[in-house]
Amino acid sequence: MNRVLSRCLLAASIAAITTASAQAATTLRMAHFWPGASGINQDIFEAWADTIEEESGGELRVEMFPSGTLAKPDAIYEAVGNGIADIGATAQGYTAGRFPLSQIVELPGVATNATQGACVLQTLYDDGHLDEEYADTRPLFMFTTGPGGIHTIDTDVQVPSDLEGLRIRRPTAVAGEMLEAMGANPVGMPAPEIYTAMQRGVVDGLSFPWEGLKGFRINELVNYHTEVPFYTLIFVATMSQNSYDRLSPEQQAVIDANSGMKWAENAGAVFDRLDVEGKQEARDAGHTIREIENPLENPDWQAPLELGIESYLTQVEERGLPAREVYEAALAASESCAEDQG
C-alpha cells in the first residue's frame, strides 16, 4: 500500500511541476489578418512560433490570432504599439502615409519575386534607412509578396485602357495611384473583405499577387488574370517594445536569434512557393492568363507605371523625406539580393 501511495505522490508531484512550468511560460499574443488555414499562417507564423517555443525550452509560447480576430487589419500595427497585441504582422500600406519610405519597395521594378523583395526591405531597415518609421515598436522581420497583377471577373485586360471605369480593389494608395493612371477606379479595402465584396459586385476585380488568390480563395471568383508586375506589397512582423522588455535576457536572446534577414527570406520563400501554387490553381481552372513581361519597357504599360513612380517619390520628398536616396538604396539592394539568390 505504501509503495502504491508513493507512486501516486510521485505522479502528483510531476503533474504539479508540469503545471507550474506551463503557468510560468510567457505567452505572447500574435495578431495578423491571414486566414488560419493559409500557407502564410502555417508556414511562416506558426513555424516561427514553434521555433520560439522550442528554442526557449517552452518558456515562450505564441498564441496566434489570425483573420483579424484580435485587431482589424488596419489596426494591427497600432495594437502592437499600445500593447493589445504583443506581436503583430500587417501590411504597412494599411496605415496610409505612416511608412512612406518603406513603401518605396512597393514600386514597380524594385523586386521580381518575394524572396528578393523581402531581402531588399530588410536590407533597407538593417542599414538604418527606415529607423524612424518603426520607432514605436520593435520590428522582428520584414517581407513582401511577389509582384502583384490585375485579376478580374469578366474583363480580359490586355492594355491599360481595358481598365477604363472598372472598380478595382487596390492594396495600398501607392498601387491605387497607378491603377487610377491606367483608367481604373481604385477601391480600398483589407484583403479579408475582398471575397465578399466581389460576390456582391462591389468591385469588378482586384490587384493581388498569385499567393493572395489562393490564400483568400479569390480564384473561385475571377476568370481573367493580367500578370503585369506593377507593385509589391510589403509587410512587417513587429513586437511591442514593452512586451520585449518584460522578457528575461535569455528569452530576449531567442527572439533576437529569430529576427532579421533569416526569417525575412524564409517568409519570402513561402510567398514565392505559394505564388506558383496560386497561378497553377488558375491554370487548372481554365482561366485566361495574360503575361506582360518587363512592363517598364512595354509601350502600353510603361507610361502609367513611370508616372506612378515619379509621382510617389515627389510626394514623399514634399514631406521632407529622402525619397530618392532611399529609392536608389532599394535599387542597389535589389541588385545585391538578386546576386545572392543567383
Side-chain angles (χ1 to χ4, degrees):
M1 180 67 69
N2 288 340
R3 186 173 298 173
V4 172
L5 179 60
S6 295
R7 288 176 179 172
C8 290
L9 289 173
L10 177 60
S13 297
I14 292 173
I17 291 171
T18 301
T19 301
S21 176
Q23 292 173 341
T26 297
T27 298
L28 301 172
R29 296 160 300 170
M30 183 171 186
H32 66 78
F33 61 84
W34 285 271
S38 68
I40 303 303
N41 177 60
Q42 295 177 356
D43 297 340
I44 299 176
F45 304 130
E46 293 286 2
W48 183 84
D50 290 344
T51 301
I52 293 298
E53 182 170 351
E54 180 181 350
E55 294 188 4
S56 69
E59 289 187 13
L60 286 177
R61 295 179 182 177
V62 180
E63 184 178 5
M64 206 65 66
F65 292 86
S67 301
T69 50
L70 185 60
K72 293 181 179 179
D74 58 358
I76 289 174
Y77 188 86
E78 182 181 353
V80 175
N82 61 29
I84 292 174
D86 299 298
I87 302 168
T90 191
Q92 288 90 321
Y94 283 177
T95 312
R98 178 79 176 266
F99 305 95
L101 294 176
S102 297
Q103 287 192 263
I104 286 172
V105 178
E106 295 185 345
L107 296 175
V110 173
T112 58
N113 58 57
T115 303
Q116 183 186 20
C119 176
V120 171
L121 184 57
Q122 188 69 47
T123 296
L124 291 181
Y125 178 74
D126 290 346
D127 289 350
H129 292 289
L130 311 176
D131 285 351
E132 292 186 13
E133 295 189 347
Y134 304 93
D136 52 345
T137 67
R138 185 183 185 87
L140 301 175
F141 55 94
M142 300 187 184
F143 52 107
T144 76
T145 63
I150 297 168
H151 315 273
T152 59
I153 299 172
D154 298 316
T155 304
D156 185 1
V157 177
Q158 300 185 47
V159 294
S161 59
D162 292 329
L163 288 164
E164 189 69 38
L166 293 185
R167 296 160 299 171
I168 303 294
R169 180 268 179 180
R170 53 87 171 163
T172 66
V174 179
E177 285 193 9
M178 282 182 275
L179 284 168
E180 194 167 9
M182 298 174 201
N185 295 323
V187 179
M189 69 181 69
E193 298 177 14
I194 297 172
Y195 191 95
T196 301
M198 296 191 77
Q199 280 185 316
R200 294 176 177 175
V202 175
V203 292
D204 303 301
L206 72 160
S207 52
F208 231 26
W210 287 109
E211 161 274 324
L213 296 183
K214 177 180 174 65
F216 291 93
R217 298 170 46 217
I218 308 301
N219 270 331
E220 297 176 8
L221 303 176
V222 296
N223 297 290
Y224 295 92
H225 309 268
T226 306
E227 195 174 48
V228 51
F230 77 100
Y231 81 96
T232 296
L233 188 59
I234 65 170
F235 306 106
V236 60
T238 194
M239 186 171 185
S240 160
Q241 186 64 53
N242 287 337
S243 297
Y244 179 86
D245 291 341
R246 286 197 294 268
L247 302 180
S248 69
E250 293 77 16
Q251 292 171 333
Q252 290 178 349
V254 172
I255 297 293
D256 294 345
N258 290 285
S259 299
M261 189 63 76
K262 173 186 174 182
W263 276 95
E265 293 185 336
N266 283 353
V270 171
F271 271 89
D272 283 334
R273 173 175 59 79
L274 293 175
D275 273 344
V276 172
E277 294 178 7
K279 187 173 182 178
Q280 187 59 50
E281 186 178 75
R283 282 200 186 105
D284 292 344
H287 295 178
T288 298
I289 300 175
R290 306 289 182 186
E291 297 184 4
I292 313 297
E293 296 183 4
N294 301 318
L296 285 171
E297 299 175 7
N298 183 291
D300 293 317
W301 296 89
Q302 181 180 30
L305 298 190
E306 289 185 342
L307 179 64
I309 293 171
E310 182 60 28
S311 173
Y312 185 73
L313 295 178
T314 299
Q315 289 176 40
V316 176
E317 280 185 324
E318 289 173 349
R319 295 175 59 176
L321 297 170
R324 291 178 201 279
E325 176 187 327
V326 175
Y327 181 58
E328 291 301 321
L331 294 178
S334 180
E335 289 189 20
S336 176
C337 291
E339 291 174 1
D340 290 345
Q341 279 186 269

